[in-house]
Amino acid sequence: MPDIAIKFCGLSRPEDVVAAAEAGARYVGFVFFAKSPRNVSVEQARALALEVPMGIAKVALVVNADDATLDAITAHVPLDVLQLHGSETPDRVAEIRARYGLPVMKAVGLADAADLAAIDAYSEVADQLLIDAKPPKDADLPGGNGLTFDWRLLAGRKYWTKPWMLAGGLTPENVAEAVRLTGATQVDVSSGVEASPGVKDADRIAAFAAALS
């Protein structure tokens, strides 16, 4: 299997950072969204980010965050990427990218072929795309719901103008198949390596990486 970059998202404890680093993480993600069981405060995220080894990109996941929220996060947490996981418009994505001078990853929810058009629109303004399963209409969370989508929708589409990452219901058990069907070279996992909502499992983190080796 080709070299696959892994993002372990929703880390909330120092031991999660250690497990992700030992598993060869290329990215680690911290969630700033009150409704999420993975939510961390600015202070928690700063302490965790300072423990991340050099060479691993630190990502802040936010959902429709206003400038005041982003100001507080970026002022205190050493970050490499901002991940926008809400209903931010392409204009808002461009505005955030210009204001903070950080690479922006935009999450796009996918349920069927009709959703693919949005990917093209965001690829004009974001540095990276995260292709996730579209949440159910009544969902409290925009991601991290453990849902997959039909990976065949992405077959042969690895040549968007920007790098992209596959997310949505990935687990140690299914990630190799997901990569085979989509051609993804980057994957994102959160709930799929947890013992319970918001609590990462070091063994599952290691198993996820092993499945891609």
Side-chain angles (χ1 to χ4, degrees):
M1 185 174 289
D3 183 34
I4 306 295
I6 303 173
K7 174 171 170 276
F8 291 105
C9 197
L11 306 188
S12 59
R13 305 174 302 167
E15 56 264 44
D16 300 338
V17 172
V18 171
E22 289 180 347
R26 212 76 61 81
Y27 306 80
V28 292
F30 307 116
V31 174
F32 298 89
F33 184 57
K35 291 183 178 181
S36 172
R38 304 162 191 97
N39 183 53
V40 291
S41 67
V42 169
E43 292 74 20
Q44 283 177 290
R46 175 178 172 78
L48 291 168
L50 290 172
E51 295 298 318
V52 176
M54 292 288 289
I56 301 176
K58 300 173 290 294
V59 183
L61 185 159
V62 297
V63 180
N64 300 324
D66 58 19
D67 286 351
T69 300
L70 291 170
D71 286 351
I73 293 169
T74 55
H76 294 96
V77 184
L79 294 170
D80 300 294
V81 182
L82 290 173
Q83 178 180 330
L84 309 183
H85 216 104
S87 55
E88 300 90 356
T89 64
D91 284 348
R92 177 61 175 155
V93 173
E95 184 181 295
I96 288 172
R97 187 171 179 268
R99 179 179 174 94
Y100 297 100
L102 286 168
V104 170
M105 180 185 299
K106 177 67 180 93
V108 181
L110 204 58
D112 54 44
D115 298 320
L116 291 167
I119 297 173
D120 292 325
Y122 285 110
S123 69
E124 298 294 316
V125 290
D127 296 279
Q128 291 209 50
L129 302 162
L130 184 136
I131 313 302
D132 200 355
K134 189 181 251 186
K137 292 196 186 319
D138 59 350
D140 284 332
L141 304 178
N145 293 298
L147 300 174
T148 61
F149 59 90
D150 184 352
W151 295 318
R152 291 169 296 184
L153 288 169
L154 297 181
R157 293 180 180 270
K158 62 179 82 169
Y159 302 112
W160 278 306
T161 57
K162 298 291 172 61
W164 63 279
M165 185 176 287
L166 180 67
L170 298 179
T171 68
E173 295 77 25
N174 70 14
V175 67
E177 177 71 357
V179 167
R180 186 184 71 78
L181 286 173
T182 63
T185 59
Q186 303 191 106
V187 293
D188 173 285
V189 64
S190 186
S191 61
V193 291
E194 290 181 341
S196 60
V199 180
K200 295 293 186 278
D201 183 308
D203 289 339
R204 286 190 66 76
I205 286 175
F208 189 90
L212 294 170
S213 62

